[in-house]
Each structure stands twice: as structure tokens, then as C-alpha cells.
Amino acid sequence: MNKKLSYIIGASSVGTLIEWYDFYIFGSLATVLSTKFFPTDNPTAAFLNTLATFAAGFVVRPFGALFFGKIGDVIGRKYTFMVTLMLMGGATFAIGLIPSYQSIGALAPILVLILRLLQGLALGGEYGGAATYVAEHSPEHQRGFYTSWIQTTATLGLIISLGVIMLTRSLLSAEEFDHYGWRIPFLISIVMVIGSIIVRKNMAESPLFEEAKKTGNVAKNPLKESFGNKLNLKFVLLALFGATMGQGLVWYTGQFYAQTFLLKICHLEETQTNLILVIGLLAGTPLFVLFGALSDKLGRKGIMLAGMALALFLYRPIFSTMYDLVDTKQKTEVKGSITYENGNTIRTFTDGTVETTTEKGPIIHIPATAQWKMIGLIFCLISFVSMAYGPIAAFLVELFPIKIRYTSMSFPYHIGNGIFGGLMPAIATFLVTTASNDSTIAKPYLEGLNYPIAMISVCLIIGLVYMQDVKIKKTYQLNGLKRLLGIVWILLGISTGLYLVYFQAMPLWEKGGNDLVPAIIYTFILAPFISIGMSLFGYFALTGEFDQKNHAH
């Protein structure tokens, strides 16, 4: 790797990493923030509202991709992701300054929501710019390897957010952290943002974009050319339903939902949960580069779909094992071990597990042997993530022509990750909460996995049948199957949309109260995206539009 390219990748990656840190610090502190910015009379509702606010940042990411993607395709990559970095940093810093719900009432969650929306808009413009910028500086035969460094930043941002929280907790008492310490991770991000701006300021524009400007091959209206052009729109839909939807769900299930699962469903102690995640994530991070590099030799499609397939078949066994490692109902209690401290009941089990029952519920701490098993399971989840996510930037860049690349790749990426992936923790937690009240369900704690498993299954089939890999010369057209399945996608899109609205959302609208959050998600976000998007994709498939090859080359 030459020095110039090393600097480009380093500067791009550091800035993107900081943006991910800013974006994820909110989710990493969700359990704390639910007590600060929402009414505390119903802890479950407060946590779900916090997850919904967290998810709101994901929902607007596609709009950020459209807005900043247009600027990036017209003005340039460098300028655009400088603006997004400053917007993200400012919003994150401001969240750390907002007074609590107890101080200013309903204004607190409103301000948090507004800033969260700004974060989502910023991230919607950042990733596509950084990935495109690095890809356009990279040799074509090593594009997967070089862009995979950008892919590590999302996981590293999560690791750093967890690490900063753990460090802050260790330096402060529990009371101090609860009083003001939780604000520190938000406030210190401004220092990192300023440093990254200084580094990025000295970067040159993408050479391929500069060449396109000189030859006049720059889009005048990237939105119209990306989505008003049937030739390009069908590839936007293919990128979404054949790659980024499944990849986004694998990413958020394996990392963010794993954290929510351990904290809220298994009731594992927070510091131990974060330590397990940090070690597992660190161990798995090099795999992003490995699979990115392998995609240069073996092709992007096979590696990404293999990650999705492994996740599809192994999620339930892995999450079931994680639950069993913590479940005290399966452990033998040490006789006479019950003690009482500060109003809490403490029980010790023969394997070394300790359960502290507080007024807010149980908090469980598992022994070292179980902890390392848990780290191994997290590593497995990250391996699926790295396979699906490592090659995705190179895949998306190669799918679209230079003049509309920023806009075209950013939009499906942020719908797949922002809508389908980002909403996953909130939807899954709601499904588990609902299933827990149904005595007929044997393992209600696994019900949250039904959503990602169903959506990944669809993505895997579409990817296998319709996606062609530019790295693999020999391909199978399967034109008859592609057209026949078009009918399936239309029917699936319409029926899924109707099911979500009439059988899932309508009962929730009638209940009102805390159920309005999932009702809104089902009615106004998931149902329209799935029904309209899948039906349009099915129409293109049915009419033979996917009989043609990739149009970027």
C-alpha cells in the first residue's frame, strides 16, 4: 500500500469511524438515556421509546443519502463528507447538553429526536462519500481490499463507544455517572471531530470524479438520473433487495441486537455485557479486511451471500445458547447463599453465576468460563457480519457509473441498513415483549429473530438468482426463473404490506399508548418500503429487465 493511498484510506476511515461513534453512542447508552429523556413511570415503555428515537436516526438516513448524494455527485466527494462530519459532530455534542425530562419535561425528548434526525441525515451522506472516495482512489483489482478498511469503521465506532462508556464508568461512581457522567461520551466527540476535520481538509478530490468533471461527464440532476432512469432504478432495487437489506440485518442483529438481547432479555450486567462485546468485536474486526481482500479474488457475491446464509441457519442456535449461559432457571443455587444488601437480594449458583434482584429487576453476572463462551458466540456473529459487510462497498461502487455513483449506492445502502437493519432492535424487542405474554410460545426470547430471518431469506434468494458478479466471468442467466419469480415478488410485496398494516399495526393502533411506536413503524415505514419496493422489483423481473448484465461496465 503506497503512502498516498494509505493516507487517503486513513483520513477517510478516521472521519467515518468518528461519525459511527457519534451515531452509535446513543444506542450504546440506550438503557441510561431512557431514564433521562423519557418519563420513568414505565421503564419498558421508556426503553422502547428510546429505541424508537434511536431508530428515527436510521429512518432519515436514506433522505440524507439523497440530499448529500446529489451534492457529492455534482460538487464533489471531499466537500460533501466534510459537511456531514461537522453536522454529525455538532448534533452529538448538543445531545450531551440537553437537560433531562425531569428538568424541562416533554421538550427533552423532542430536542433529542431533532438532533437524532440530524445525525441520521449526516450519516446518510457520509458513508457513500467515504466509500466512493476510497474506491475511486483504489486499483480496480484491489478495490475490495482497500474499501474494506472503510467497512471496519462501523464496528470500530461501536467498539470505541462501548470502550468510552466503560472507561467513564470506571472513573466515576455509579451516582456520578448517573448524574452527569453519561454526558461525557457525547461531549468528548467534538474533540475527535475537530481533529478529523483538520486531517480531511488537506485531502484532494477523487481522481475519477475530477476526470469526469473535465470531460463533462458529471450528472446535472443525479436524483433524476438515478431514479427516473429505468435502467439505473432496477439496479438500485437489486442492490437493496439482493444485497444491502440482508447485509444490514446481519450487521444489526449480530452487533446491536446482541447487545440489547444480553442487557434487556438475558438481564446480563451492563459492564460485563460491554466487555464481552468489545472483546468479541475486536477479535472479529480483522475479518472485514480478510473478506474484502478475498472478494477481489473470489468475487463479492459468493462471500456476501455465504455470510447471510450462515446467519440464517445459525441465529437461533447461537442466541438460544447465549440465553442458556445466563438463564438462572437452568442453574443450581448454592444452599444458604442468599444474602441481602441495600434492599437487594443476592443469589449465588454452583457454576459461579451471581444474580442480584433489585427493584428494577434481576441483574446477572456470569463466571469467566461462561463469559469466554459468550465471547466466542459474539465472534461467530461478527464473522457473519464481516462476510456480508466486508465486500459491500466495492460491490455497490462497481454496480453504478461514476456520475451518479454517490447517490445511487448511498440510497439502497441506507435503506437496507437504516430502515431494515436499524429498526431491527426496536422491532425484535417488541416481538419478544409481546411473545413473553403468550404461554403457548416455548421460547419467547427467540421471537425477535423471526424478523431478520424472514427478510434475510428473501434477500438470499434474490441475490442468488439475480445478482451477477463482475469478478466472475462465467455466469448463469436463469432468465426464465428470474421472470417467473417476478410474480412471487409482486405477490410477496403486496401481501406483506397488507399483513403488516391489517394484522400487525391495526390492533396496535386500537390499543394506543406504548403500542403506537411499533404501529407507526409497521404502517408508515416497513409496509410502504416492502410493498412498493418489492412490487416494483417484481415488475422489472417479470418484464425481463434483469436479463441484462451489470450496466456500470
Side-chain angles (χ1 to χ4, degrees), residues 35 55 82 165 182 296 365 451 459 464 468 480 536 540 547 553:
T35 66
M82 286 285 287
I165 292 168
W182 61 270
D296 288 322
H365 190 283
Y451 167 63
C459 187
L464 281 169
Q468 294 186 5
L536 191 56
F540 283 143
D547 294 354
H553 295 271

Side-chain angles (χ1 to χ4, degrees), residues 355-506:
E355 180 184 66
T356 303
T357 303
T358 70
E359 60 180 11
K360 295 181 180 179
I363 298 175
I364 300 169
H365 190 283
I366 56 177
T369 53
Q371 179 175 293
W372 282 108
K373 289 179 183 177
M374 192 75 79
I375 290 169
L377 293 171
I378 294 295
F379 176 80
C380 290
L381 294 175
I382 301 307
S383 67
F384 309 155
V385 173
S386 61
M387 293 176 74
Y389 194 55
I392 195 77
F395 166 77
L396 291 172
V397 165
E398 291 166 347
L399 196 62
F400 300 104
I402 294 172
K403 66 178 183 177
I404 54 173
R405 180 173 286 164
Y406 198 145
T407 303
S408 295
M409 73 168 285
S410 294
F411 189 66
Y413 173 83
H414 286 293
I415 292 180
N417 285 267
I419 302 297
F420 293 112
L423 294 176
M424 192 274 164
I427 293 172
T429 302
F430 173 74
L431 291 175
V432 172
T433 303
T434 303
S436 298
N437 300 321
D438 188 343
S439 59
T440 63
I441 298 176
K443 294 184 176 181
Y445 49 88
L446 296 181
E447 288 299 294
L449 297 173
N450 291 341
Y451 167 63
I453 286 174
M455 302 302 285
I456 292 170
S457 299
V458 173
C459 187
L460 186 61
I461 296 170
I462 290 176
L464 281 169
V465 176
Y466 295 91
M467 260 182 9
Q468 294 186 5
D469 200 322
V470 297
K471 310 300 292 184
I472 305 298
K473 301 304 179 184
K474 184 178 180 180
T475 59
Y476 299 94
Q477 295 299 317
L478 303 173
N479 291 338
L481 180 60
K482 290 177 182 178
R483 296 191 180 204
L484 181 62
L485 285 175
I487 301 173
V488 175
W489 307 132
I490 294 172
L491 294 175
L492 183 62
I494 294 172
S495 60
T496 302
L498 292 173
Y499 170 77
L500 289 172
V501 173
Y502 288 103
F503 294 100
Q504 292 294 323
M506 290 297 285

Side-chain angles (χ1 to χ4, degrees), residues 54 126 158 173 247 251 274 413 428 473:
F54 176 61
E126 164 66 23
L158 177 56
S173 66
Q247 167 264 304
W251 202 101
N274 290 343
Y413 173 83
K473 301 304 179 184

Side-chain angles (χ1 to χ4, degrees), residues 65-116:
L66 294 177
F67 179 75
F68 289 109
K70 178 179 179 180
I71 296 174
D73 279 328
V74 174
I75 298 176
R77 286 51 164 136
K78 173 192 169 181
Y79 169 81
T80 306
F81 64 47
M82 286 285 287
V83 173
T84 61
L85 180 63
M86 289 186 283
L87 180 61
M88 175 70 83
T92 304
F93 180 77
I95 289 176
L97 299 175
I98 296 176
S100 67
Y101 183 89
Q102 286 70 29
S103 300
I104 60 173
L107 185 59
I110 292 172
L111 290 174
V112 171
L113 178 61
I114 292 171
L115 292 172
R116 187 67 190 156

